[in-house]
Amino acid sequence: MRIIILALCLLIISSCNKTQNISPQQEYDLWIQRALVLLPNGTTEAMDVLIKDGEIIELVPNPDLKITDSKVEDAKVIDANGNFLMPGFIDAHAHFISLGKNKANLDFLSTTSWEEVVTMVKEKAAELPKGEWIVGRGWHQEKWPNLPNEMIEGFPVHDELSKISPDHPVMLTHASGHGLIANAKAMELAQVNASSKSPDGGVILFDQEGQPTGVFQENAMSLISRAYAENQKNKTEDDLAKEWLNYLRLAEEECLSQGITTVHDASISFNDALKFKDLSNKNELNLRLYAMLSDHALQNTPLQTLRDHVESTREDRFFTNTAVKAFVDGALGSRGAWLIEDYSDLPGYKGENVTPFESLEKTAEIAKELDVQVCIHAIGDRGNREVIDVFEKVAGDEIGERRWRIEHAQHLNPTDIDRIADLNIIASMQTVHCTSDAPYAVKRLGEKRVEEGAYVWQTLLNKNIHIANGTDAPIERINPFENLYAAVTRKRLDNDEAFYPNQKMSREKALEIYTQANAFAGFQEDWKGKIEKGYVADIVILDTNLLTCEERDIPNTKVLYTLVGGQIKYTAE
């Protein structure tokens, strides 16, 4: 009996020793020490993480582990010092190049008045040669505490802007991306005047005297953007290529500094797709892109060319282009969201359908043939209903298998929520839109519609609807911590009152969605979105424990390290 007991003791000691040491044959490139690791089940554990060839090869639940393998003396070591380690954030809906462009041009996201916007344009005009375009984005009149004296249908007019920039065409895009204001010079170049007509799916706002106010909504924006595009033709191909690459690097820098390692790029041209693919082939992308071709690109590129392109990216882990993006309506802030009933603050108006149904169906049919994911922008309840109809007509019971997505799914009729659940449609939402829209959502929709179907994340989760989450940057800031704060509190940063708080998420669910669920939404859940052996080492280390910190500390979280494929891409040091 003593011999048996002794043998068992030796076996236990031997087993314990194995948990304290890595085998001498174990090789690694990077050893992350003393991290508080967010595990796939939503719990945390003090662990060391070993990384080799861009993948996690070992998780060791022992923060005091000592490794003395001579084969890895030159390996990098990161001391996490007990800080929170989690998978890199996956932003399931953003506009990547536009984010970089926004960083390079005038950014109005933080403006609090029309006067501030005008001043920024005036300062820019003083810097630029006459005739050069001034471009900016991010203004939102509903978020200003003080409104300008001259307005039409809730929007500022161009007069003051035109006075301070008579020699520079100006194009300032609304924060939603579904409207813009142009000055007199820009309208002159676009040949817009009192006799101009609003195009299908768009609106030019005129004043009481029949003169254009400078406000262009939805498809009418193209009248100004085409004039801007004509100006761009004066630049050389080399200049345009350098400009585009600068936008990309600025976007990468911004994302990595926020702990974002993958972006679902919501609508790109085929030309941009080829540029991204070339950079990926050269290993020159610093984060991962899951991109959606625009419906225009899909419908205007030869089918075999599309098939070859899609298949060449399907297994590419840095640039995957196996989705397509279309639009059915506009945004709530610009009253472009397509509603079943009138806007509460604009009787007689229901928003805009910006793409004919025949075109949406054609896009879905081509996508089905190519086996690519369909992602359709729908914000209003009528827009969402029409997208559900198109999905059901084209794919039927295969929707869930194909993981087709409604991008935004913001305002739903209660009867359509069950249809989304029954058809296994992914609701690709942006939690920060809820708190961002809070100042005017009830004004636009009325309390009943907001309570029953607007930003109803918990209602969707209770019906087992798969939710993805993103920021829609540059419409909102790319900051994932502000987005998480909105998800778990339903509060604005400047207001402690929760907006319909019964719809908020738990922190565990919000983090799961921002990593694992978003990976699923891009067919990539088998190799990223988790801190787990065999998964890519897309990792972020934070100074804040997002599960246990005070609510108000979430948006102030700082990124200490961002790793993509085991490579350090950002450090706060």
Side-chain angles (χ1 to χ4, degrees):
M1 178 64 72
R2 289 179 180 176
I3 294 174
I4 294 173
I5 293 172
L6 179 61
L8 286 171
C9 289
L10 289 172
L11 181 62
I12 291 170
I13 291 169
S14 174
S15 176
C16 289
N17 285 339
K18 286 182 181 178
T19 65
Q20 299 290 321
N21 298 282
I22 294 298
S23 165
Q25 283 73 44
Q26 183 73 67
E27 297 183 43
Y28 61 91
D29 302 323
L30 178 65
W31 173 18
I32 303 178
Q33 302 174 333
R34 300 195 300 155
L36 183 64
V37 176
L38 176 66
L39 299 174
N41 64 2
T43 64
T44 57
E45 187 172 348
M47 306 184 86
D48 285 17
V49 183
L50 294 180
I51 296 164
K52 173 70 175 175
D53 295 331
E55 290 189 354
I56 299 167
I57 60 168
E58 201 70 54
L59 294 170
V60 186
N62 181 1
D64 296 319
L65 177 71
K66 304 298 181 186
I67 302 179
T68 57
D69 186 347
S70 60
K71 292 184 179 181
V72 291
E73 286 179 353
D74 295 331
K76 293 187 178 72
V77 174
I78 295 176
D79 184 355
N81 197 28
N83 282 302
F84 193 77
L85 183 151
M86 62 172 284
F89 290 105
I90 300 171
D91 192 308
H93 186 112
H95 304 274
F96 192 65
I97 294 298
S98 291
L99 173 64
K101 187 174 183 180
N102 210 49
K103 299 292 291 183
N105 294 314
L106 291 177
D107 183 353
F108 303 119
L109 275 177
S110 299
T111 57
T112 58
S113 68
W114 178 238
E115 289 75 17
E116 192 175 344
V117 171
V118 171
T119 298
M120 290 172 68
V121 172
K122 183 177 181 180
E123 291 173 352
K124 194 69 173 178
E127 300 172 5
L128 297 177
K130 290 182 179 181
E132 192 161 335
W133 280 74
I134 297 174
V135 178
R137 179 172 181 159
W139 61 275
H140 203 310
Q141 77 287 354
E142 297 287 357
K143 300 176 184 179
W144 297 336
N146 298 308
L147 296 174
N149 293 327
E150 291 187 70
M151 298 190 75
I152 183 167
E153 294 187 13
F155 294 98
V157 297
H158 77 91
D159 295 7
E160 190 175 357
L161 185 66
S162 296
K163 287 177 184 177
I164 56 93
S165 57
D167 301 315
H168 295 83
V170 177
M171 179 175 66
L172 309 180
T173 305
H174 192 265
S176 67
H178 293 267
L180 65 78
I181 187 163
N183 72 345
K185 188 66 175 179
M187 288 189 284
E188 176 190 327
L189 294 175
Q191 298 181 347
V192 172
N193 51 49
S195 62
S196 297
K197 304 296 182 184
S198 296
D200 291 340
V203 175
I204 304 171
L205 289 186
F206 295 90
D207 61 23
Q208 293 180 342
E209 297 176 357
Q211 296 299 319
T213 62
V215 178
F216 297 78
Q217 296 175 312
E218 304 303 343
N219 291 350
M221 296 166 60
S222 64
L223 300 173
I224 304 299
S225 62
R226 278 200 297 263
Y228 173 71
E230 283 297 316
N231 173 263
Q232 292 293 93
K233 291 180 181 179
N234 295 327
K235 297 181 179 179
T236 67
E237 288 295 324
D238 187 53
D239 286 342
L240 290 173
K242 289 179 180 177
E243 186 176 71
W244 185 88
L245 187 60
N246 180 51
Y247 295 155
L248 179 140
R249 297 306 181 205
L250 288 171
E252 284 184 331
E253 179 182 314
E254 181 71 7
C255 289
L256 293 168
S257 72
Q258 298 290 348
I260 297 163
T261 55
T262 297
V263 172
H264 289 198
D265 197 350
S267 188
I268 65 171
S269 68
F270 191 68
N271 187 45
D272 278 5
L274 296 179
K275 288 189 254 184
F276 283 130
K277 180 182 171 184
D278 181 58
L279 288 171
S280 180
N281 290 340
K282 295 176 180 177
N283 297 315
E284 292 180 3
L285 287 176
N286 290 304
L287 48 66
R288 305 182 198 276
L289 294 172
Y290 179 82
M292 310 169 198
L293 274 178
S294 71
D295 57 341
H296 178 81
L298 191 80
Q299 293 191 25
N300 292 279
T301 305
L303 192 62
Q304 190 57 48
T305 300
L306 283 171
R307 182 174 286 109
D308 292 343
H309 169 73
V310 164
E311 294 307 320
S312 72
T313 73
R314 199 177 290 277
E315 302 302 323
D316 189 328
R317 289 192 167 187
F318 271 86
F319 176 65
T320 311
N321 198 188
T322 55
V324 62
K325 168 78 178 296
F327 293 79
V328 74
D329 66 355
L332 187 70
S334 58
R335 295 194 191 86
W338 193 17
L339 305 180
I340 295 171
E341 302 295 336
D342 292 354
Y343 276 85
S344 295
D345 60 348
L346 192 61
Y349 186 66
K350 292 181 171 65
E352 296 291 335
N353 165 225
V354 299
T355 306
F357 300 131
E358 307 79 46
S359 180
L360 291 176
E361 288 182 17
K362 181 179 179 182
T363 292
E365 292 284 4
I366 297 172
K368 182 180 176 181
E369 182 172 351
L370 293 172
D371 190 22
V372 300
Q373 186 181 44
V374 180
C375 310
I376 299 184
H377 165 119
I379 289 183
D381 51 9
R382 174 71 186 276
N384 277 277
R385 177 173 291 178
E386 298 295 346
V387 171
I388 295 168
D389 289 346
V390 169
F391 281 4
E392 187 170 27
K393 179 178 180 180
V394 176
D397 293 339
E398 298 178 0
I399 295 172
E401 175 187 338
R402 295 179 179 279
R403 302 188 193 180
W404 285 9
R405 297 163 41 164
I406 298 178
E407 301 300 313
H408 309 304
Q410 277 182 211
H411 311 299
L412 303 167
N413 186 282
T415 61
D416 292 320
I417 294 175
D418 286 331
R419 294 182 66 202
I420 291 173
D422 292 342
L423 293 168
N424 290 314
I425 295 171
I426 293 175
S428 177
M429 308 177 80
Q430 297 73 45
T431 51
V432 73
H433 279 336
C434 165
T435 51
S436 182
D437 293 0
Y440 59 85
V442 173
K443 182 165 62 175
R444 293 280 193 272
L445 300 172
E447 290 187 8
K448 186 174 186 294
R449 280 190 289 187
V450 171
E451 184 173 8
E452 292 182 346
Y455 324 95
V456 287
W457 318 320
Q458 198 58 51
T459 299
L460 300 184
L461 289 172
N462 289 341
K463 292 181 179 292
N464 296 316
I465 293 171
H466 190 102
I467 292 179
N469 192 7
T471 58
D472 207 5
I475 292 168
E476 306 285 354
R477 280 185 282 270
I478 196 80
N479 188 315
F481 310 107
E482 294 179 3
N483 208 15
L484 283 169
Y485 181 71
V488 304
T489 69
R490 306 273 291 197
K491 297 176 183 177
R492 292 173 56 82
L493 296 177
D494 59 358
N495 189 326
D496 208 40
E497 183 179 352
F499 186 76
Y500 296 90
N502 60 310
Q503 293 292 340
K504 65 185 181 181
M505 301 179 192
S506 70
R507 299 193 196 193
E508 291 81 2
K509 177 56 70 173
L511 287 170
E512 177 195 331
I513 289 173
Y514 229 134
T515 53
Q516 298 177 55
N518 285 354
F520 177 89
F523 294 89
Q524 297 172 332
E525 74 275 14
D526 292 336
W527 56 272
K528 74 175 171 186
K530 296 179 184 179
I531 302 299
E532 189 170 282
K533 186 175 179 178
Y535 275 62
V536 292
D538 292 359
I539 292 171
V540 59
I541 303 175
L542 309 175
D543 73 344
T544 302
N545 184 332
L546 294 175
L547 291 176
T548 61
C549 68
E550 294 292 328
E551 281 185 352
R552 294 298 301 183
D553 291 335
I554 294 174
N556 299 318
T557 299
K558 303 299 181 188
V559 176
L560 303 178
Y561 289 91
T562 303
L563 285 73
V564 180
Q567 300 294 313
I568 299 172
K569 295 294 184 178
Y570 171 83
T571 176
E573 295 176 354

